Amino acid sequence: MSQYQLYAVGAVLLFCIGLQGIIVCRHLLKKVMAANIMGGGAFLFLISIARRNTIETADPVPHAMVLTGIVIALSASVLALALTRQIHKTTGHTTLEDPTNNRVEK
Amino acid sequence: MTWESAMPTLIVGTSLLTGLLIFFLEEKRQRLRSTLNLLGAGLKLVFVGIIIVGTLQGREYEFRFPLVLGFDFLLRVDMLSLLFVTLSGVLWFVTTIYAIGYLEGSEHRSRFFGFFSICVAASTGIALAGNLITFFIFYEFLTLSTYPLVVHRGTEESLRAGRTYLWYTITGGTVLFVGVAWLNVLVGDVDFSHAGSLASVAPYYHTELIAIFVLLIAGLGVKAALVPLHGWLPVAMVAPAPVSALLHAVAVVKAGAFGIVRVVYDVFGVSFANSLGVLTPLAILASITIIYGSLRAMTQDDLKKRLAYSTISQVSYITLGVALFGITGTIGSLVHLVHQGIMKITLFFCAGNVAETLGLHRISEMNGIGRRMPVTMGAFTVAALGMIGLPPIAGFISKWYLALGGLEAGKPWVVVVLLVSSLLNAAYFLPILHAAWFKKPSQSWSPRTGKLETSAMLLVPPVITAGFSLAAGLFAASNGSPLALARQIAELLYYSSP
Amino acid sequence: MSWVEWAFDGVLLLGVVGLAFGVLVVRDLYHSVILFIAFGLLLALGWVRLGAADIALAEAAIGAGLTGVLLLDALHAMRVRGGGRVT
Amino acid sequence: MIIWLVLLPFAGGVLAFALARWGRVIGLLTTAGTFAVGLIFSAQIWQNGPQRYLVGGWSVPLGINFFADGLSAVMLLITGGIGTIISLYSISYFAPTARKGEWSENDTFWPLWLFLVGGLNALFLSADVFNVYVTLEVVTLAAIGLAALAGNAAALTASLRYLFAALIGSMAYLMGVALLYASYGLLDFQALQQVVQTDAPTVLALSLMTVGLLLKTALFPLHFWLPPAHSTAPAPVSAALSGLVVKGSFYITLRLWFETFYGQIHFSAGQLLGALGTAAILWGSFQAVRQKRLKLLIAYSTVGQIGYLFLLFPIITATTSRDVVAAWAWSGGLFQAISHALAKTSMFLSAGVLLKAVGTDEIKSMRGIAGHLPLTTFALALAGISLIGLPPSGGFVAKWLMMKAIIGSGQWWWIPVVTLGGLLTAGYVFLMLRYTFLPQEANHPFKPVSPVMQGTAFALAVGAVVIGFRAKELITLLNIGMGFPEVPVLENPGL
Amino acid sequence: MIWLSVILLPWLIALLMQERTYRVSRFLAPLAPLPALAFAIFGDSNASASVDWLILGVHVGFGAVGQVFLFFTALLWSLATLFAFDYMRKDERPWRFHFFFLLTMSGNFGLILAQDIITFYTCFALMTFAAYGLVIHDRTNEALRAGRIYLITALFGETLLLGGMFLVASQSPSLLLADMQEAIAEAVHRDLMMFLIFAGFGVKAGVLLLHFWLPLAHPVAPVPASAVLSGCMIKAGLLGWMQLLPLGHGSFPQWSTFLVVAGFSAAFLAVIAGLAQKSPKTNLAYSSISQMGMMTVALGIGLATPEAWPPILVVLLIYTVNHALAKGALFLGVGVAGATGQSRWRQRLCLGGLMIAALAIAGAPWTGGAIAKHALKNAANLAPEDWYPALTWLLPLASMATTLLLTRFLILTWQQMKSSEKTSHPAPALWISWLILLVAVLGSVTFAIGRYAIELERSTATLRSIWDSVWPVLLGVALLIALQRVLRKRKLWPIPAGDIVVLLEKAFHSLRQIGRALPVPGPSYWQINIVASVQRLAESETKQDITNRVESLLKNWTAAGVGLVVLILLLVLLL
């Protein structure tokens, strides 16, 4: 087992925890954080595989991908937080309830 | 695009365009709408006349347009389509006059006449379709354009009827679709003109072909109202009278029957179909339908409902003739396509007249109505007697050929079916005639408003079509009669499918 | 690689996973957010270990820092509006 | 040329953000311009075949690599065409900004909308699995922003739900990408095709990516987020979501399965997707029949219609060479995507018209609209016809090809699926249309609706029907670069 | 076209029979049968014509027997029309009567002229259905019942006939009757064809078991209509047999036997039923059945061998002419009897006339009936061997039975005439037409002898033959007077008019009761229900139903997550 494999295993763990979090946690902020953890797992995985060839320099491609990914993750988080705040503002809820009780926009 | 190739599109286009134009007319523009309607109908008759002359001179009209890989949109004029297109052209003209009179002063006329025209465009397309796929396209198009007509009144009852109608026809269309696609996979896009090419299919695939045949007939059988696929027809009679007239005489029911003719003769080829062994079951099914429809008709008190069940029975004559595998039976079947049309349209016109003028729907209320509406009931009588099969009215000619066809094909039971059906026809038509002419009126009629028993627009069409029914039988042996045409077509069909 | 490095990587990963788990398990949201920021920083440390120092910097700044701040802000806003603890 | 397809909308988006007052003008011009470029570009592909383009001149794998074949061209055309019409519609739909400094839907809509279009275009042009991820994220985030535009609780909740679902999907996809890269060190769809093998990591990668994409495409049973999101958004947004956005992730699935992994996928996996498609068709359509509100009905209809797209998977995966049957399935499936895009967009736009006219989108409120909104009624009817697959319409051509593929492949068990789905579709379409024939309720005055809105919805519906007539060209275009038989005129087995 | 005028003129005049135009058109009615009459008298017996474009090709001509048939038919129709001119004067809707009367006439003429099966059937059907209007003209309950039974029976007959026609036409080289007759003789299914034709026309000709409509319909129709119904139209059935059965084309001993038995049964049983009747017209109707039975016997003999047919044809022609005219005279006489009022001499004149006609039917010497019976007896030796002895004593017995029945009729009419209180009214056309008819009845003897002198000379001249025809008549009269005396005014035996129809009606009624009691909805009921329940399922409003629950479950995050993971695993497994 090499170092990158160790980190890869950790990445997968993080990914699963994040997934579990999004699904199970009810509070929206927690869901947001879980999504970030999930993303963190994915990124960690990418960075770890950049070292898969165990030569001196890391593969730059996964690094570039992660960098892009981080920006995207941030945007998603910002959007999610904005929506969360808006939901709280309009309904007072902090969870994704009432899946059936849809009212049409007016 | 040459003149010859434009002709079929023009014929379909006249009614389509008329329909579209009418949609966008304001409700008030009554005169313009009537003019447009009659103009469209008249123009179409002219075009039909042109292609009749042209075809007789040996010209070929064909319009081909590749749609997707593997199938063409093909309109083509052959003798069979000529027969059907003439029927629909003429009857459309008459029905348009009738409909204008019938809907005087009612709501949503633009919508009605728009769909009305489109419906005819669809049935013209069915007539002119040159291959199975084009046929299917128009077949479905017909379903769609008739639905608004069936629900036109907008009452709960008519909506329910429309729903039932749709369930049946769309299901039928889907089944037909599977059959058409399957056939296309197996042999590709075969034009109607290459009838009998399926005969060269390797015997290995014959089971598949039988399955395809069953699918096609089941799909078409819904519109042709073969038992047990007929349930929509008696329900759909809530539609306004001109619609029922059109549905039962030209458009929907006929489309199914015409499709069966096409499938048996122009897709499978009758000898091949016979060798597959699918014709006898079809004949039996048609016979059951004939008897069943008549039996049910007897118990109906609502005039239009009785006529609807009668249609179920009568249309299956066409199927029966097709399935007989004999040239005489084919003649009978083809000629009945026309004869049933003109007679049934007369009956519905008359039923509509009675309903519209006096507000009567039930036969039990129609005692002595012949005294109040002699012309209408006269036309009704001619058509009804024709339906029973009394010479010299058109219906007799069909029955004559069908029965002889049955004997020719070695199926003597067909004669029994026809005779029983004639008896039953008499059993449900004659009481109406008796009530109308010989019973004492059980109520006093609303007095005539004008010189005529009802408005001229309502009176002229049934008289014309009743005249047709009489003439078609009386002059059956002369040139240019439906019978002569049917005979010619039957010979062609048999010639082309060895 | 020496066993020290192995041990360090192992502990680091355990910490990251543990923090991630903690973020989701802790009841108090505030604690949760704090744990999340710590998680981000520790994760960045791991990336440094994998030879991606520049990316790690970005993660520390964006993933842990900016996102953390935004979370805290949102939490605050919700507490103020909601009038108390939000769990 | 190719770069403008992406640059133009993004630039337009930025501009619209900066100059909010001119948003509508910029929006319309940009989408129309993009469409024009797309047309020219498609013509080039039509003539010269697939094209490759390196952005900024960097080579693979670091540089952004654009690739376009017939499939991309068609998707670009659809996006451009429908996008332009949605823009036209939106101009009338969103009230112009009232006063300076005041927020309005109009301000937010245009930049996001242009980003969405740009993202989609970029997605269809991307040549590698990672760029596709990035563009898909752009699309998703813009879409969610748009979906939340209505600002009410329901819309917000639905959008957030959509966001979380999308995030799960993206992350799963990203993990798959990482796995692939770990194995092969390649990201390009076509380059990967040369080297992929079905070893465990690859299989895991493909599974993760596929399921992630299915979640974003809202294939049953992962459709949970779609109906609320699509039904609560403003009408033009719903239209774009249902018509265009779901096709983005579907597009990637196609690329993966039939370009990169073609020939490597086991028969049963295709059957699984087909089965999910079946379930989607039946369930979605059935739910649609039961809806009382028009937009929900249309949204569930999308769930059902998406199922049809997945019927092409079992058939093409069963083939080992790109033979006629595969070509039928391919053309059929994509034609379904195209005609669904047109029809569904039209339906949502019509629903918007109705909403403006009546103030509610309850199906019951459609009583008597035939007289007041004839164009809209027609639009709904025509779009419905295409959805049902009745001839002559795009939907019919799609079903026709699909049915031929099903029969030709011998997988007859899909036949009842297609037929039953058609019937259920007919069920909800006519359930909706029958109300237009009912007399209007007396106390329900209709508000006037801009003719542009009615006209655009109608135009799209007409488009959904008319493409049935010009199917040949579209299918030829679709097949460019995919290696299917050019003109699949069959050797009929029977003859 | 001249041929067609025979058929079309009554049609044209019929169309003028409207309430508004009746004042004029009633004067036209007597003109309608004149072309036919002229044609029958002056026409060339070999003439024929064809119109190819009409229906399926119309062929008309006299054929072998047509001219004779046309003659007596036209004559009787002419006189009946004339009779009706006065008789219908007091009717409420005489135009309606005339309308159907003329249509029936047209059909009757047409079927005689028809030489092809389609034309024949067309005219036959026209006659049948138009006569319905005559039967129910009075609109009384009896008339309506009679009409209903008439129509049902007629339809039944037409259907059988049509079936026979189909069978024959499929075997025949053309639709010409002559060709078809030959075709039947050689056909494989000959017996079936012959049965269908026999039964089909048998309804019209009043064959036993198919006869029951006759005693109901003939009496209820107005007198002129009854006259032609019994005189001419009943003969249309006979004509049909003569035209289509393979007479002279082979020997059919079984059929021969069958017809002879059926004929005699009808001849005797009808008398028994007829004696029980109180109404003179019903009485006459039964007499018609009986007489048609005799003609059936003759026909049966004709079927025995090919050689038997030519002499039998002569017998039949004489028989037919005689019966047609005499029966017409009897029916019209009933109408005249109603118009005599209390004038004694008119009553006597009427009775005298009726007696002449009755004697002609009974076959008293120097009447057509006698000649016919002689000829039949002569022809009887052509019957199969075993039958000859039986025929020699059955024929006089039948003659006696006829006399019995007709004497009863005379008594009934006389009683009616006596008891009627009505004063006479001037009805010249009534009397004139009736008297002319009586003259014709007597004249028909001359006609018959003149036409067929060679064959008949020997048989009629002898004293022995005269005695042969006298004794049955005398015996019959005596027997009835004896019966009458014995039983006085009591009914002879309780047989209702129409005899077996009463049983049939009861059977039909109970069948209907059973049918109504069975609550069996038709299949379409189920179909609609299936559609409706599918629709109901789709539109059901309940929130609690299972599909809703499933959909909310799918929306649950946990479920979605599980689904996601399961899908990934499945794909991994399957890929």
Side-chain angles (χ1 to χ4, degrees), chain B residues 380-403:
Chain B
F380 188 92
T381 306
V382 169
L385 292 180
M387 282 286 179
I388 298 171
L390 283 186
I393 306 167
F396 172 72
I397 306 288
S398 335
K399 273 191 191 160
W400 177 260
Y401 275 91
L402 285 171

Side-chain angles (χ1 to χ4, degrees), chain B residues 334-351:
Chain B
L334 294 177
V335 80
H336 196 60
L337 195 78
V338 178
H339 287 169
Q340 191 267 351
I342 48 184
M343 292 188 295
K344 194 38 75 65
I345 209 168
T346 313
L347 293 174
F348 269 103
F349 281 159
C350 295

Side-chain angles (χ1 to χ4, degrees), chain E residues 169-193:
Chain E
S170 72
Q171 300 294 319
S172 162
S174 80
L175 297 180
L176 291 178
L177 292 170
D179 287 342
M180 300 184 101
Q181 214 170 5
E182 273 181 54
I184 296 178
E186 290 149 17
V188 183
H189 301 293
R190 189 188 61 214
D191 290 336
L192 178 61
M193 292 177 188

Side-chain angles (χ1 to χ4, degrees), chain A residues 2-16:
Chain A
S2 60
Q3 183 195 22
Y4 96 88
Q5 281 168 327
L6 181 70
Y7 274 94
V9 171
V12 171
L13 271 176
L14 283 182
F15 186 85
C16 293

Side-chain angles (χ1 to χ4, degrees), chain D residues 156-426:
Chain D
L156 292 169
T157 315
S159 309
L160 198 54
R161 176 185 291 274
Y162 180 11
L163 177 58
F164 285 125
L167 277 174
I168 295 176
S170 317
M171 291 307 155
Y173 180 82
L174 191 60
M175 275 305 264
V177 171
L179 275 169
L180 269 191
Y181 188 79
S183 297
Y184 305 106
L186 286 172
L187 291 170
D188 192 278
F189 282 117
Q190 288 180 336
L192 274 170
Q193 191 192 350
Q194 312 297 324
V195 293
V196 283
Q197 294 157 337
T198 43
D199 51 3
T202 316
V203 163
L204 184 61
L206 184 59
S207 303
L208 279 169
M209 290 164 95
T210 306
V211 174
L213 292 169
L214 294 189
L215 181 58
K216 288 198 156 193
T217 319
L219 180 66
F220 180 92
L222 305 175
H223 66 285
F224 59 97
W225 56 269
L226 187 142
H230 285 204
S231 63
T232 52
V237 176
S238 308
L241 291 181
S242 256
L244 302 176
V245 174
V246 286
K247 306 296 186 310
S249 40
F250 174 67
Y251 167 88
I252 305 170
T253 324
L254 284 182
R255 284 263 183 241
L256 278 177
W257 280 57
F258 303 127
E259 193 161 26
T260 307
F261 287 93
Y262 182 69
Q264 310 253 4
I265 294 171
H266 195 265
F267 176 78
S268 53
Q271 295 294 313
L272 175 66
L273 286 203
L276 292 180
T278 303
I281 293 171
L282 300 182
W283 186 255
S285 307
F286 182 70
Q287 285 295 325
V289 172
R290 300 168 53 82
Q291 297 310 313
K292 298 278 175 281
R293 284 182 37 228
L294 185 55
K295 288 186 80 176
L296 261 177
L297 183 152
I298 304 173
Y300 270 110
S301 152
T302 301
V303 174
Q305 295 290 316
I306 284 168
Y308 279 110
L309 302 179
F310 285 88
L311 285 187
L312 72 95
F313 285 78
I315 290 154
I316 302 189
T317 44
T319 61
T320 46
S321 63
R322 295 184 194 275
D323 60 0
V324 181
V325 173
W328 284 334
W330 175 256
S331 322
L334 278 155
F335 221 81
Q336 167 69 16
I338 298 165
S339 53
H340 172 247
L342 286 164
K344 194 46 64 68
T345 320
S346 166
M347 274 195 157
F348 267 122
L349 295 189
S350 299
V353 173
L354 190 73
L355 208 58
K356 291 266 177 190
V358 194
T360 159
D361 74 337
E362 293 212 12
I363 296 174
K364 273 185 200 153
S365 71
M366 292 173 74
R367 290 175 79 105
I369 64 158
H372 293 262
L373 303 167
L375 269 184
T376 306
T377 316
F378 259 102
L380 281 171
L382 288 179
I385 286 166
S386 184
L387 282 188
I388 303 170
L390 293 177
S393 67
F396 168 64
V397 173
K399 289 235 171 87
W400 168 257
L401 289 166
M402 208 107 88
M403 188 59 90
K404 279 183 75 168
I406 288 168
I407 294 168
S409 69
Q411 300 186 25
W412 50 265
W413 48 92
W414 305 119
I415 295 177
V417 176
V418 175
T419 52
L420 206 61
L423 287 182
L424 282 169
T425 313

Side-chain angles (χ1 to χ4, degrees), chain B residues 27-195:
Chain B
E27 198 61 36
K28 290 172 288 185
R29 310 290 300 274
Q30 189 181 342
R31 186 166 298 169
L32 180 60
R33 185 171 43 235
S34 302
T35 318
L36 260 178
N37 263 323
L38 292 174
L39 205 69
L43 203 60
K44 184 155 130 169
L45 272 185
V46 171
F47 286 141
V48 169
I50 291 174
I51 58 164
I52 289 176
V53 172
T55 313
L56 290 179
Q57 288 171 353
R59 241 174 259 150
E60 293 209 340
Y61 297 98
E62 184 183 299
F63 171 74
R64 191 184 286 272
F65 176 81
L67 265 186
V68 193
L69 323 146
F71 81 70
D72 290 347
F73 181 83
L74 178 65
L75 294 177
R76 179 212 295 276
V77 177
D78 61 12
M79 290 296 283
L80 196 57
S81 49
L82 219 53
L83 183 79
F84 195 41
V85 87
T86 314
L87 178 74
S88 81
V90 171
L91 292 190
W92 185 38
F93 190 81
V94 179
T95 315
T96 306
I97 300 175
Y98 186 78
I100 292 172
Y102 189 87
L103 287 168
E104 208 153 293
S106 72
E107 279 182 271
H108 303 303
R109 267 171 300 172
S110 282
R111 184 178 83 193
F112 179 86
F113 282 105
F115 282 116
F116 195 68
S117 292
I118 288 181
C119 169
V120 173
S123 74
T124 318
I126 284 175
L128 295 176
N131 57 21
L132 204 50
I133 295 149
T134 318
F135 178 87
F136 174 72
I137 289 176
F138 283 109
Y139 188 80
E140 291 291 272
F141 195 34
L142 184 66
T143 306
L144 294 175
S145 53
T146 41
Y147 171 76
L149 296 176
V150 172
V151 300
H152 179 75
R153 289 195 206 279
T155 56
E156 262 309 313
E157 195 194 2
S158 67
L159 281 170
R160 213 175 310 129
R163 208 159 48 181
T164 310
Y165 173 66
L166 265 184
W167 270 103
Y168 274 97
T169 47
I170 296 217
T171 313
T174 320
V175 173
L176 182 63
F177 173 67
V178 176
V180 173
W182 194 348
L183 189 66
N184 192 282
V185 170
L186 203 59
V187 295
D189 192 17
V190 182
D191 290 354
F192 285 152
S193 56
H194 305 131

